[in-house]
Amino acid sequence: PSCIAVASGRKRLQCNSAGRLLIGCTITTRVELVSASGGNELRRVAQMALRMKVQKIRCNKISMIIMLLLLVCAAYTSAALSADTKHVDPQPAPRSSSKVGVPQATLQAFGAYPNLLNITHEMRENFHPVVKLPKRKKWKKWIQKRITNNNTKDADDSNKTCNKSQIGLMNIYDYILKDYTGKNNNDNDVILQGGKKVPQLLPTREDALEFAKTQKQSKLFDVGRYDEDRRGMYTSSLFDAKDEEKRRTIHVGIDVGGPVGVKIHSFVDGVIHSLGYNEAIGDYGHVIVVEHRISATSKCWVLYGHLDANSIKGKHVGQKIKKGEVIGRIGSTSENGGWTGTHLHFQVAMTPPQTHDMPGVVSLKDREDALLEYVDPRYVLGELY
């Protein structure tokens, strides 16, 4: 006998005396000597063959594991690519109501509109008041009580330390917040001394001139809101009142109502961009547009409308305006476009107008684009409501 057999089930590993492999197998469990002939030499050959097969089987197992891992990775990658291809098609264009930062509903709270000028509370505290509103008497009493409780000697310093932004300006200053949405019909009229009612906008220039001769107003101040749908107010052809689709009813400024002659101040330094007289019924009357530098990186163009005739006298384009300087005064009905409720229209634009005019009212269709061009004036004036 000149060979050995490695037990392998049905197969046998045949080796000659030289140790050459004749028939291979895949199972390695035990080695059986067919004959003692050959002695140690045959045993050595059998053990060597066994080690070779064990290493081969181990390599095969590792290869199989690697192959399985590769298959799993390939399957995962294929599934991920398949999932991505489901979203390759471009998304539909967003509706106009999804413009970044623009609320869908009108008359939103302070801070709900895009602050495109990045005006902070600290910056606003350094602005000069555009209109010096009278202090509310109850607020003065509260201040005095606060001073007494805190044993503070300086009333002015105590007033400065109060966080006005948290309590709202209505708790400090004495003015009325108006509602021109049509829900309150009384607010669509102006109530004069003695209880007489007149419409906000007179129909003709002659009516405005006649009314101004005997004009008697309340000395109270009031505020008209930004982004307010005033369907009951704008009745002249200037607002496309007959065309419902083009009809302009959304107010994109803030009105500060007050007696004729109230001073209007510049809140920061600026340069006069344009000025003039817009004579149509329902227009601004005498108006000044000032370019204001808010910070080193931002500026805006502010329209001061419904001023008196003297406001534009002696002024010119390019004239520098200092912070706190009197820009003009609130004009009467005969010179403010026919408005019986005398007031300042304050509007903030992100880009310069072509002339001394801005659309103070826009259509509902153009509302969202307009709110990105004409920012909420409360970022300058403060939290009036």
Side-chain angles (χ1 to χ4, degrees):
S2 60
C3 69
I4 61 172
V6 179
S8 58
R10 296 181 180 179
K11 295 184 180 180
R12 301 171 74 86
L13 176 63
Q14 303 292 334
C15 298
N16 59 16
S17 59
R20 292 182 179 180
L21 182 63
L22 301 178
I23 301 174
C25 71
T26 58
I27 306 299
T28 58
T29 55
R30 63 188 179 87
V31 177
E32 175 187 357
L33 287 178
V34 176
S35 172
S37 175
N40 292 334
E41 181 66 20
L42 291 176
R43 187 178 292 107
R44 186 184 65 79
V45 171
Q47 290 175 350
M48 183 176 61
L50 180 59
R51 284 196 300 270
M52 292 173 60
K53 295 306 295 181
V54 169
Q55 290 176 357
K56 182 177 180 181
I57 290 172
R58 286 177 179 172
C59 291
N60 288 340
K61 287 182 178 179
I62 294 173
S63 299
M64 290 177 66
I65 293 173
I66 293 174
M67 288 295 294
L68 287 174
L69 290 175
L70 291 174
L71 288 173
V72 170
C73 292
Y76 177 80
T77 304
S78 177
L81 290 174
S82 177
D84 288 341
T85 56
K86 295 179 181 179
H87 302 283
V88 170
D89 294 336
Q91 296 295 323
R95 298 182 297 110
S96 58
S97 60
S98 63
K99 290 184 181 296
V100 177
V102 176
Q104 294 188 21
T106 60
L107 291 176
Q108 295 301 299
F110 175 67
Y113 297 92
N115 184 6
L116 302 178
L117 293 170
N118 297 316
I119 297 175
T120 64
H121 172 70
E122 290 72 21
M123 294 169 62
R124 190 161 48 251
E125 286 291 299
N126 290 322
F127 292 163
H128 191 281
V130 174
V131 176
K132 293 183 178 180
L133 298 169
K135 289 286 186 70
R136 193 175 291 275
K137 292 182 179 180
K138 292 182 179 179
W139 172 255
K140 287 184 178 180
K141 293 180 180 179
W142 187 89
I143 285 290
Q144 188 61 42
K145 183 178 179 181
R146 181 186 178 95
I147 295 170
T148 303
N149 292 340
N150 294 334
N151 296 321
T152 304
K153 295 181 180 180
D154 191 346
D156 292 335
D157 288 343
S158 177
N159 191 6
K160 291 177 182 178
T161 59
C162 298
N163 190 345
K164 299 177 183 179
S165 66
Q166 292 181 354
I167 55 182
L169 297 179
M170 285 194 72
N171 293 325
I172 305 173
Y173 300 104
D174 191 6
Y175 61 90
I176 301 168
L177 185 61
K178 304 293 283 185
D179 179 357
Y180 296 119
T181 60
K183 296 177 182 179
N184 184 355
N185 292 327
N186 291 332
D187 278 337
N188 288 330
D189 297 325
V190 174
I191 302 178
L192 304 178
Q193 290 180 352
K196 181 182 178 181
K197 294 182 180 180
V198 294
Q200 282 278 351
L201 181 61
L202 295 176
T204 66
R205 184 171 178 78
E206 290 72 21
D207 291 334
L209 292 171
E210 187 63 29
F211 177 82
K213 292 178 182 179
T214 58
Q215 189 170 12
K216 295 180 180 181
Q217 313 177 82
S218 171
K219 295 182 180 180
L220 299 177
F221 287 77
D222 57 67
V223 169
R225 296 174 292 183
Y226 172 76
D227 191 27
E228 182 176 45
D229 193 353
R230 302 175 170 182
R231 293 193 168 271
M233 180 183 294
Y234 302 114
T235 55
S236 73
S237 59
L238 183 66
F239 305 101
D240 299 309
K242 294 183 180 180
D243 190 332
E244 188 60 32
E245 184 178 355
K246 296 180 180 179
R247 186 181 179 190
R248 300 188 295 122
T249 61
I250 304 296
H251 191 240
V252 290
I254 277 185
D255 294 331
V256 181
V260 174
V262 169
K263 295 178 181 178
I264 310 301
H265 302 265
S266 175
F267 64 98
V268 292
D269 294 348
V271 177
I272 293 180
H273 168 274
S274 53
L275 71 167
Y277 179 61
N278 301 354
E279 63 180 3
I281 287 294
D283 213 322
Y284 294 123
H286 299 281
V287 59
I288 299 176
V289 177
V290 180
E291 177 185 329
H292 290 289
R293 172 70 64 177
I294 302 296
S295 66
T297 58
S298 64
K299 59 183 177 179
C300 63
W301 289 260
V302 174
L303 183 144
Y304 301 83
H306 307 305
L307 308 178
D308 65 7
N310 290 328
S311 297
I312 64 174
K313 286 183 179 180
K315 293 186 175 69
H316 58 85
V317 175
Q319 179 179 337
K320 292 183 179 180
I321 304 293
K322 294 293 184 181
K323 173 184 174 180
E325 183 178 340
V326 175
I327 294 177
R329 297 172 185 264
I330 291 180
S332 68
T333 303
S334 63
E335 53 193 355
N336 72 356
W339 298 96
T340 55
T342 55
H343 65 281
L344 164 72
H345 177 86
F346 186 88
Q347 185 167 334
V348 183
M350 294 298 297
T351 57
Q354 294 182 352
T355 182
H356 49 83
D357 194 17
M358 294 179 191
V361 186
V362 300
S363 67
L364 188 60
K365 179 185 64 175
D366 296 330
R367 169 184 171 268
E368 290 167 4
D369 287 328
L371 296 187
L372 292 175
E373 171 60 26
Y374 306 111
V375 300
D376 187 349
R378 288 177 291 181
Y379 288 118
V380 172
L381 300 175
E383 191 177 354
L384 292 167
Y385 61 92

